[in-house]
Amino acid sequence: MLGLYIHIPFCRQKCFYCDFFSVNYKEELADKYIKSVVKHSSSYKNVKPDTVYIGGGTPSVLNEEQIKILLSGISSNFNLSYLKEFTFEANPESLTENKLKILKDYGVDRLSLGLQSCDDNHLAQLGRIHDFKTFKKAFFMSREEGFKNINIDLIYGFPNQNLSNLRDDLSEMLELKSEHISLYPLTVEENTVFFKNGVETNSDLQREMYERAAENLQKSGYVHYEISNWSFKGKESLHNGNYWRSCEYIALGAGASGYYNRVRYKNISDIEKYCRHCGLEPQSGIIAEKEYITDELYETETIMLGLRLLNEGVDIEKFTGWKNVSVLNRFLNDKILINDDGKIKLSENSVYVSNQVISEFM
């Protein structure tokens, strides 16, 4: 499996919890940027990705012509005949009927919609610029345009949210019957409004919220296939599965990270510099960081990422390094990990503290 990730670093307003690279949308800058991304894509002429994911930022903030130029350029430079999944991220306030038609015309078959909460007061608290009514309008409009694979993002564990609020959010969201749900605890990262304002989270409450949500989602027919992700059977995210299985993925766009030809790299987080380097040959100046992945590091990362796949786990034969075997044996003895017919998985009680468990392999 080979993935293609394209980063669109534009937003109408940066959410108060977001630390992804993004700037305010300006049409002229976005015009230049999209054309540069297409130039960058020409470096991979006729490469055959299995999945494409356009994320951000807010890709749906682009105007119709910009979306056409981007999708047309990607279609021209890559061989998409082997494509199994094509995802486009969108925020409800910037999604229109015409944009959805364009996405459909160019082969996009999966949407990821940012909801975060069904409560308008909580949405404002998070720095979102849509309300729940606008979200529902965008969701049903997407259905009418023929999108049968939609993910919804939800955040939990932020200040002033209690268990009852989360239950109400889940109840409203489950009525929509989206094929996929991503559920993330609020983490307060540096360079965010929440960090500057000294916002704190309650880990005990977040754990209880996670466990309650997992129960509700399971009762509603969703499969808990990855730590933060649930889906109806057969609707798991193929693109994100590339990451969790240590497969390769090409990265286009400023601030985007990739892993290709055994090299992990990150593009420069500067739109103007990115655009300038995209017009030069070779385009090596686009890359800000890169690291060759040794066999030892590949094994460790395969274990750490694979343990996130709750039902699949990691083949025990992947554990060959002395340290990895040592940590594995300790966790098996402590019943933190289980050996399910040769597949190493997180035990049910260790799913919530998975970050602490997985970090032991670093």
Side-chain angles (χ1 to χ4, degrees), residues 17 39 56 62 64 73 93 98 130 163 172 195 226 233-234 250 257 259 275 306 324 354:
Y17 54 84
K39 284 182 184 177
L62 299 174
E64 294 171 16
E93 74 280 351
N98 284 341
H130 67 87
L163 285 166
E172 293 269 17
F195 182 82
E226 194 273 341
K233 190 173 181 180
I250 294 165
S257 296
Y259 171 52
C275 292
N324 293 331
S354 57

Side-chain angles (χ1 to χ4, degrees), residues 61-208:
V61 79
L62 299 174
N63 64 36
E64 294 171 16
E65 188 61 26
Q66 290 163 350
I67 294 173
K68 284 181 183 179
I69 292 171
L70 173 64
L71 298 182
S72 175
I74 296 304
S75 298
S76 297
N77 288 325
F78 287 90
N79 182 341
L80 302 184
S81 59
Y82 292 84
L83 209 59
K84 299 177 178 69
E85 180 186 271
F86 195 156
T87 304
F88 189 89
E89 280 187 358
N91 276 354
E93 74 280 351
S94 56
L95 202 55
T96 66
E97 185 177 332
N98 284 341
K99 289 180 184 180
L100 287 165
K101 288 182 186 297
I102 293 167
L103 296 179
K104 265 291 182 184
D105 288 344
Y106 282 94
V108 174
D109 59 7
R110 183 174 184 269
L111 296 177
S112 184
L113 303 181
L115 171 58
Q116 316 313 350
S117 175
C118 302
D119 183 296
D120 290 347
N121 291 326
H122 288 160
L123 288 170
Q125 180 187 349
L126 292 167
R128 304 293 287 179
I129 57 174
H130 67 87
D131 57 20
F132 187 46
K133 181 180 179 181
T134 302
F135 177 87
K136 287 192 290 185
K137 179 181 177 182
F139 181 88
F140 289 119
M141 184 168 57
S142 301
R143 286 295 200 216
E144 290 170 6
E145 290 302 322
F147 285 93
K148 298 178 181 178
N149 194 359
I150 300 177
N151 170 63
I152 295 177
D153 283 343
L154 199 70
I155 290 178
Y156 68 94
F158 48 85
N160 301 321
Q161 186 194 36
N162 56 38
L163 285 166
S164 178
N165 298 146
L166 178 61
R167 185 189 63 231
D168 291 344
D169 276 353
L170 288 170
S171 178
E172 293 269 17
M173 186 181 62
L174 287 170
E175 287 186 12
L176 299 173
K177 293 183 171 58
S178 67
E179 287 71 23
H180 192 284
I181 293 170
S182 297
L183 190 63
Y184 300 111
L186 174 70
T187 55
V188 181
E189 306 285 356
E190 290 189 43
N191 302 316
T192 65
V193 172
F194 277 167
F195 182 82
K196 292 172 185 174
N197 291 342
V199 169
E200 297 181 349
T201 59
N202 182 324
S203 60
D204 291 334
L205 179 58
Q206 285 189 338
R207 176 168 187 160
E208 190 172 359

Side-chain angles (χ1 to χ4, degrees), residues 262-355:
R262 211 59 187 269
V263 174
R264 182 192 294 113
Y265 62 94
K266 182 177 181 180
N267 297 333
I268 51 178
S269 297
D270 184 308
I271 293 174
E272 292 289 356
K273 286 183 180 179
Y274 176 82
C275 292
R276 284 200 299 273
H277 283 294
C278 282
L280 303 175
E281 293 292 344
Q283 297 181 357
S284 56
I286 291 170
I287 297 176
E289 305 168 15
K290 64 180 178 178
E291 175 187 17
Y292 179 77
I293 305 302
T294 63
D295 289 344
E296 181 180 0
L297 183 54
Y298 180 78
E299 176 188 324
T300 298
E301 292 190 348
T302 297
I303 292 167
M304 294 175 68
L305 292 166
L307 286 173
R308 296 189 62 90
L309 293 167
L310 302 180
N311 301 320
E312 184 175 321
V314 182
D315 195 309
I316 194 169
E317 294 180 358
K318 299 289 187 183
F319 296 79
T320 61
W322 177 85
K323 179 183 178 183
N324 293 331
V325 172
S326 176
V327 174
L328 169 63
N329 289 332
R330 173 160 55 90
F331 281 160
L332 287 174
N333 288 334
D334 293 340
K335 295 181 170 50
I336 292 171
L337 296 177
I338 60 172
N339 184 344
D340 182 8
D341 195 24
K343 299 292 185 181
I344 304 302
K345 304 176 182 179
L346 291 165
S347 68
E348 186 176 348
N349 291 331
S350 62
V351 172
Y352 182 75
V353 293
S354 57
N355 285 342

Side-chain angles (χ1 to χ4, degrees), residues 2-8 19-21 33 40 44 53 55-56 239-240 242-243 247-260 263-269 274 286-291:
L2 173 65
L4 167 61
Y5 175 72
I6 304 166
H7 190 64
I8 306 301
D19 70 336
F20 291 121
F21 172 60
Y33 179 78
H40 190 181
Y44 301 94
Y53 194 106
H239 182 84
N240 288 336
N242 285 348
Y243 303 149
C247 297
E248 294 188 323
Y249 51 99
I250 294 165
L252 301 180
S257 296
Y259 171 52
Y260 192 57
V263 174
R264 182 192 294 113
Y265 62 94
K266 182 177 181 180
N267 297 333
I268 51 178
S269 297
Y274 176 82
I286 291 170
I287 297 176
E289 305 168 15
K290 64 180 178 178
E291 175 187 17

